[in-house]
Amino acid sequence: KSMSNPFWLLTVPNEGRTPEQTFERLRRLTDESGKAYVVQIPSLTVGTLDSLMSLSEDMEKFDAAIEVAVRKIERQYADLSGGRRENLLIDGVPIERYLPSFVWEHAKYPHRRALPELVGSLRTTVGAIEDELKHLATTYADKTQKLSAASRVGGGSGSAGKKGAATTAIAASTAPLEEVIPATAVEGKEFLDTEYLVTCVVIVPKALEETWEASYAKIADTLVTHNQNQKCSPAVPGSATKLHAEGEMAVYSVTLLKGSQPAGAYVDDQWQPAAYVDFVKAYAVAAKELGFVVRAFTYDAEAVAKSARDKDELAAEVDRLHAAILRWSKAHFAEAFVAWMHLKVIRAFVESVLRYGLPVDFVTALLVPSKNREPALQRDLDKMFSHLSKNNLGGPLDDLEGAGGDKKDTDYHAYVLQKSIATTI
C-alpha cells in the first residue's frame, strides 16, 4: 500500500469563468487520468502582502513538519498492530473517502483569524500530539524492555526469554537467583550448608556444558590435600546436577568442600594461627577462568513469588499500554491528518493569492490520479494551463521565486500544485 495513494491539491484561476465552469473544464480534462473534487476554501483573511510573503516562505517547512508527525503516528500504529491492523479512519471513514469530502472545521480553526495565527494554532495542535506520542512511545519502550529483561532471567516463563539469549548468561551471573531459576527447579533438591560442605550454583554457557560436566571435579585439583599429600579438587565427584537451562545458559548445582584450617605454629615463642583456606573462593576463581560462574546459593521462595507477581503485573501493564497506544493512534491520527489538510489548504490559498493576485478568484481542487497515470495527468495539466506562464495574470509574485516554486526549478508549474501521499502503511 505504501506510496500507492497519492493526492494532489491544485489551484487554478477562474479567468472570467464561474468556479463551476472552471471546475467542469478541469474535471473533463482529468477524467481519463484521475478523479477531481472541488475543495471549498472559506473566505480566509488575506492580510498584507508582506505577511503573505513571510508566511509563504515557511509554509513548505511547516507542511513537512506536520506530515512527519502524521507518519510517526502511522508507523507507531503499524508497528504495534502488526498484521491485524485495521484502516486508520478520519471521522469514521477511510482517508480515500475523507479527502474528497473535506470540510473546513470552523469551530476549531476560525477562518476569519489572521493566517499566521491559524497556522500557529495548527502547529500547536500537532506539536502537542507529537509530544504525547513521544511520551507514550518512550513509556511503552521502557516497560517492554523491563519485561524483556525480566523474562530473560525469569526462569523461561516469558515470551521474550529467547531474545537476547547471548546476554542471558551474563545477566544470570549477577541477577538474584530467584529471577534465574524457577521454583520448580529447586523443589525437592538438597542444598547443603554444613560445617564442611556447601552447595553452590554454577552458571554454565550452553556451549561449555560438556566441558563442565567432564571437568568440574578436576577444577582447582591442587587445592585440597588428603591421604599423605595427595591433591584433589574441592568439588565432590558426582555432585553436579543440572537445575535449569534457557537460551544460551544452563544452571548447575555442585557440592564443594568449604575449606580447611591448617595448624598454627609458634614463632619466636608466640603462637601464630594459620590463615583459613577458603576452597569455595579459590574454586570460583579457577572456574571463572574456564568460563563458569560459581555463585553462593541463596533462594527466597517469597522473593520468587513476588518476582512472578511483578512480572505478571508488568506484562499486564505492557498489554494495557499496547491497547491504549493503538486507541490513541487511531484517534490522534485523525486529528493530525485533519490539521495537515487544513494547513495544506491555507498553503494553497497563500500561494494562489501571491501567484494569481487579488481579488481572490480561483478554484481549488483535489485530484486523485489513477494508478500509473500520474505522468499523463501532469502533462494534461501543463498543456491546459501553459498560458499562465506568460504572465497574463500579473500576480504580486508572478516573477519572483516562492509562490509555487522557482521557475528555474524542474518542479515549477504555471499553476499552484501540491503533491502528497495520503498514507504510507
Side-chain angles (χ1 to χ4, degrees):
K1 191 173 181 179
S2 176
M3 302 298 286
S4 63
N5 48 2
F7 69 94
W8 298 359
L9 207 58
L10 169 72
T11 304
V12 293
N14 287 315
E15 300 181 284
R17 303 178 184 86
T18 66
E20 292 75 16
Q21 290 172 332
T22 301
F23 176 74
E24 181 58 23
R25 290 181 71 233
L26 188 60
R27 188 196 64 76
R28 288 198 303 269
L29 171 74
T30 60
D31 194 47
E32 293 184 0
S33 300
K35 293 186 178 297
Y37 306 90
V38 173
V39 177
Q40 299 292 349
I41 297 183
S43 301
L44 299 173
T45 302
V46 173
T48 65
L49 177 59
D50 285 346
S51 67
L52 285 181
M53 291 176 63
S54 177
L55 190 59
S56 176
E57 291 173 358
D58 292 325
M59 287 301 285
E60 184 176 359
K61 178 177 64 178
F62 296 157
D63 189 332
I66 292 182
E67 183 180 6
V68 166
V70 170
R71 302 308 177 208
K72 284 181 180 178
I73 300 172
E74 271 186 343
R75 183 47 48 200
Q76 183 72 70
Y77 177 74
D79 288 346
L80 293 188
S81 57
R84 304 182 304 277
R85 64 174 176 264
E86 302 170 0
N87 288 333
L88 289 166
L89 305 178
I90 300 175
D91 295 335
V93 300
I95 296 174
E96 57 267 24
R97 286 178 55 192
Y98 164 77
L99 286 171
S101 59
F102 171 82
V103 176
W104 187 275
E105 295 190 6
H106 294 274
K108 191 165 187 178
Y109 305 113
H111 69 282
R112 299 310 298 170
R113 292 175 63 182
L115 291 181
E117 291 182 26
L118 268 179
V119 171
S121 177
L122 289 162
R123 295 177 64 208
T124 298
T125 295
V126 177
I129 292 173
E130 196 168 14
D131 288 343
E132 190 173 352
L133 174 62
K134 182 179 180 180
H135 172 73
L136 287 171
T138 300
T139 302
Y140 181 75
D142 177 63
K143 297 296 183 183
T144 52
Q145 287 172 5
K146 287 181 178 179
L147 179 60
S148 178
S151 297
R152 282 198 299 270
V153 295
S157 59
S159 62
K162 299 302 180 186
K163 294 183 179 180
T167 63
T168 302
I170 298 174
S173 300
T174 56
L177 288 177
E178 295 85 3
E179 297 180 4
V180 177
I181 312 171
T184 53
V186 298
E187 289 176 358
K189 303 294 192 302
E190 184 178 21
F191 290 85
L192 300 176
D193 189 4
T194 67
E195 182 178 358
Y196 299 107
L197 297 172
V198 64
T199 301
C200 297
V201 296
V202 184
I203 311 301
V204 179
K206 271 201 170 180
L208 297 178
E209 276 196 85
E210 290 186 7
T211 302
W212 160 255
E213 292 177 355
S215 64
Y216 77 90
K218 302 174 184 177
I219 295 173
D221 57 3
T222 62
L223 194 60
V224 181
T225 303
H226 70 102
N227 293 341
Q228 299 178 350
N229 292 326
Q230 291 186 16
K231 304 289 185 179
C232 68
S233 167
V236 176
S239 66
T241 302
K242 188 174 182 177
L243 300 176
H244 178 62
E246 181 179 0
E248 296 302 316
M249 167 204 76
V251 182
Y252 284 76
S253 65
V254 66
T255 301
L256 303 176
L257 292 170
K258 282 187 171 180
S260 69
Q261 179 65 64
Y266 282 98
V267 178
D268 297 331
D269 296 328
Q270 295 291 324
W271 177 256
Q272 298 291 334
Y276 180 77
V277 179
D278 188 335
F279 293 159
V280 175
K281 185 176 181 180
Y283 184 89
V285 170
K288 187 175 182 180
E289 293 177 356
L290 300 175
F292 314 124
V293 178
V294 178
R295 299 187 55 183
F297 180 80
T298 55
Y299 202 86
D300 186 338
E302 291 184 6
V304 173
K306 182 179 183 303
S307 176
R309 287 195 303 271
D310 289 347
K311 191 164 68 172
D312 288 344
E313 290 175 3
L314 187 57
E317 187 174 1
V318 168
D319 288 342
R320 286 194 298 270
L321 267 173
H322 183 277
I325 293 176
L326 286 178
R327 290 193 301 270
W328 183 94
S329 297
K330 290 180 180 180
H332 289 80
F333 173 81
E335 187 175 359
F337 195 94
V338 167
W340 187 36
M341 279 304 298
H342 280 69
L343 184 95
K344 295 187 81 64
V345 168
I346 294 174
R347 181 181 175 186
F349 178 83
V350 169
E351 293 184 356
S352 297
V353 170
L354 292 174
R355 177 71 67 87
Y356 307 136
L358 293 172
V360 173
D361 188 25
F362 46 79
V363 166
T364 300
L366 174 80
L367 303 182
V368 180
S370 299
K371 187 175 182 179
N372 300 324
R373 296 291 295 171
E374 291 180 63
L377 179 58
Q378 185 73 76
R379 286 194 299 270
D380 290 343
L381 292 173
D382 287 342
K383 183 177 180 180
M384 172 173 270
F385 299 106
S386 61
H387 64 282
L388 296 181
S389 64
K390 298 176 181 178
N391 268 358
N392 291 340
L393 297 172
L397 287 190
D398 198 54
D399 290 321
L400 299 179
E401 298 176 10
D406 180 352
K407 288 188 178 184
K408 297 178 182 179
D409 195 319
T410 55
D411 290 333
Y412 172 82
H413 305 287
Y415 41 86
V416 174
L417 179 66
Q418 301 175 54
K419 294 182 180 181
S420 305
I421 299 296
T423 179
T424 59
I425 62 173

